[in-house]
């Protein structure tokens, strides 16, 4: 049997020592009490509250977002329009999408982008489309769509969500339906 080189024995010994040390550290960490873990968390929470380093934000519940999306789709269906509806949260994340019967394939993504645009600027997308004359590069921002059909949802003057509609023959109709969804949230 061939003897291992000095280098091989040193590397193997070092690896074994490291494994034993990590095992001991893990055992020590596992034995930490709940009080030890709670103390730093409580100190941070207390410091944040005391120094006003935190803020609360308002979000739509999934139930409210779904009701608003359904009311939007219902408003479009009353006028025989085939649309898709999207509701996004304050961060632009999609919460609910509904694709109406017969809505075009492009309408799904367009509705999401209109909702994102409305919440990002806290303005209806028809108003934002008018701003393109002064700032044409706005349309280059990823994820946005500057066409009528998006409406922001606000609480205490701040945007908390956006509703986007796409698929009707005009952006004005899309936006009319989006506003119908926003209106249901105030009831």
């Amino acid at each position: 049997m061939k003897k291992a080189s000095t280098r091989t024995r040193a590397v193997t010994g070092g690896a074994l020592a490291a494994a034993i040390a990590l095992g001991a550290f893990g055992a020590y960490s596992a034995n930490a009490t709940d009080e030890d873990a709670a103390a730093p968390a409580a100190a941070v929470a207390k410091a944040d509250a005391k120094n006003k380093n935190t803020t609360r934000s308002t979000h739509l519940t999934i139930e409210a977002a779904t009701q608003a999306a359904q009311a939007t789709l219902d408003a479009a269906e009353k006028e025989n329009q085939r649309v898709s509806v999207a509701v996004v949260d304050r961060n632009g994340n999609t919460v609910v999408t509904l694709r109406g019967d017969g809505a075009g394939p492009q309408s799904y993504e367009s509705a999401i982008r209109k909702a994102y645009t409305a919440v990002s600027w806290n303005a209806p997308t028809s108003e934002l489309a008018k701003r393109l004359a002064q700032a044409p590069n706005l349309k280059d921002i990823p994820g946005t769509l500057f066409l009528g059909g998006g409406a922001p949802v606000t609480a205490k003057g701040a945007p908390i969500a956006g509703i986007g509609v796409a698929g009707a023959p005009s952006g004005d109709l899309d936006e009319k339906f989006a506003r119908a969804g926003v209106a249901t949230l105030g009831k």
Side-chain angles (χ1 to χ4, degrees):
M1 178 154 115
K2 187 175 175 185
K3 242 183 171 182
S5 71
T6 304
R7 181 176 177 194
T8 303
R9 283 184 275 160
V11 169
T12 304
L16 181 60
I20 291 170
L22 286 174
F25 176 74
Y28 173 76
S29 296
N31 287 328
T33 66
D34 289 340
E35 291 171 8
D36 295 336
V44 169
K46 185 175 181 180
D48 283 344
K50 181 179 177 185
N51 296 321
K52 299 182 182 175
N53 293 330
T54 60
T55 186
R56 285 186 155 188
S57 60
T58 304
H59 297 273
L60 287 181
T61 64
I62 188 75
E63 182 181 345
T66 302
Q67 288 173 353
Q70 187 62 57
T72 303
L73 189 60
D74 291 346
E77 287 176 350
K78 283 181 186 173
E79 295 191 28
N80 295 317
Q81 298 301 316
R82 298 176 178 142
V83 301
S84 290
V85 179
V87 179
V88 301
D89 67 13
R90 175 62 185 114
N91 299 321
N93 300 310
T94 304
V95 179
V96 175
T97 54
L98 297 176
R99 185 171 181 269
D101 293 334
Q106 80 291 352
S107 66
Y108 186 84
E109 180 66 27
S110 296
I112 293 169
R113 291 175 61 193
K114 288 178 183 183
Y116 176 82
T117 305
V119 74
S120 295
W121 277 273
N122 192 24
T125 54
S126 61
E127 287 180 25
L128 297 169
K130 295 172 189 172
R131 295 182 193 175
L132 288 178
Q134 291 82 30
N137 291 345
L138 281 178
K139 68 180 179 346
D140 298 333
I141 297 172
T144 59
L145 186 57
F146 291 88
L147 297 173
V153 178
T154 60
K156 297 180 184 176
I160 61 167
I163 298 177
V165 179
S170 73
D172 291 339
L173 279 174
D174 285 339
E175 200 161 301
K176 174 183 173 183
F177 304 139
R179 285 192 310 264
V182 172
T184 65
L185 295 171
K187 294 180 179 180

